[in-house]
Amino acid sequence: MTVSVSAPAAPAAETVLRRPSLAGRTRAGLAEALAEIGVPEKERRMRVGQLWNWIYHYGVREFDAMTTIGKGLRGQLAAHFSLDLPEVTAEQVSTDGTRKWLMRMPSTGPHDRGAEIECVYIPEVDRGTLCVSSQVGCTLTCTFCHTGTQRLVRNLKAEEIVAQLMVARERLGDFPNRKPPEGAFVPNDGGRLVTNIVFMGMGEPLYNFDGVRDAIAIMSDDQGLSIGRRRITVSTSGVVPQIGPLGGEMGTMLAISLHAVRDELRNELVPLNKKYPIKDLLEACRNYPGLSNAKRITFEYVMLKGVNDSDAEARELVRLLKGIPAKINLIPFNPWPGTKYECSDWDRIERFSDIVFRAGYASPVRTPRGRDILAACGQLKSETEKLSARARLMLDQDQVEAVPAVAAE
Ligand code: SAH
Ligand code: SF4
């Protein structure tokens, strides 16, 4: 495993003085920025298109690189704005190629050091998936999830969600004319390194509906970052009233964190179930806009030893999902310090998966990725907080070579 650490974060006071960044903004946000510096209204649409292309398609980090825009306007833009992305405070690369970045968001005021969030890149043979966060912490308290033990700090803004993809593309050399770092997964069709996005990092995306919706609009725009909506999956613990609007307004793929087939147990594992029980949740799934065999819902099921992993529960799972175009994703539980749960034994997981498979579902068991860097589901943030503190300490003690994170810089 390689651990590389950037210099300790700048003090908040300096952060506050930074020029506002245009990276991550919507078209309307870019138009506002142009209005602020006096660009005439009739010119703005064209200029927004140019900015959009440079920022999101090419990933440029300096206004001066925007050669289709005249020198004068480039100078004006640079005097008022930046193209800064969140600062990467730690990057880790797992032996299996998984990468995890800890990012510090710009400070929002003198008393804010800038929230830290994580984002994980998982290369596979046929795709590269980026797991993004939608909130800092989570208000929900699923008992098996480490994020759930933390209080919610805040919702991420749309631009902070988009920035996670931009940082990943930059660090992976995944913008045009950039070189990927050594050892990076390079698709043999010459395609891009990040092809899919899953909202499975920190937070409940449907409790940050507007932020997630705007971010998805930017990330899926084919003039820019170009991740098709069919390649974006929003995972929810079951915020029933927002499931229909998610399909209608965002048109992404849906994943449901089911984890139990009886309300009594689900109430305990996913306390939101007390508000929106299984029956209501599945009803919302049946009505998910655009649902078809080509656009199935993924049901996530974490395998907890002796808790939810019996044959009877596997059969009940199949029965419950009857009539819903579905995929079932069995997730081995990722333990964290202090948890009362254990991961089911491997032969139990196989047996469970067999029952589901024989009922006609592909039931891939999600291979834990990036375990050596604590990048697995439900482990985000708190472990890394410790790690980054340790990493910084090591940096202070000069025990870690402070190398640029990847060659793309
Ligand atoms: N809040 C959303 C998305 C983030 S969690 C949701 O709950 O769906 C992403 C997935 O990781 C969810 O299916 C969640 O239940 C699962 N997860 C959380 N903690 C886990 C752990 N310790 N081991 C395995 N999966 C976990
Ligand atoms: Fe929040 Fe999802 Fe973790 Fe539940 S599983 S606490 S909803 S992040």
Side-chain angles (χ1 to χ4, degrees), residues 263-308:
D263 280 322
E264 198 193 358
L265 178 60
R266 196 165 189 272
N267 286 346
E268 189 187 317
L269 299 178
V270 184
L272 185 66
N273 193 70
K274 291 182 211 152
K275 202 164 176 191
Y276 307 118
I278 294 175
K279 185 170 166 291
D280 298 0
L281 178 57
L282 295 182
E283 190 53 28
C285 290
R286 286 198 173 83
N287 296 326
Y288 189 66
L291 187 60
S292 71
N293 279 338
K295 196 178 176 192
R296 293 166 189 259
I297 297 175
T298 300
F299 288 89
E300 295 158 283
Y301 197 95
V302 64
M303 300 300 296
L304 302 169
K305 188 177 192 165
V307 175
N308 65 354

Side-chain angles (χ1 to χ4, degrees), residues 102-114:
L102 182 67
M103 302 178 195
R104 186 191 299 281
M105 298 298 158
S107 154
T108 51
H111 302 295
D112 176 13
R113 280 196 74 222

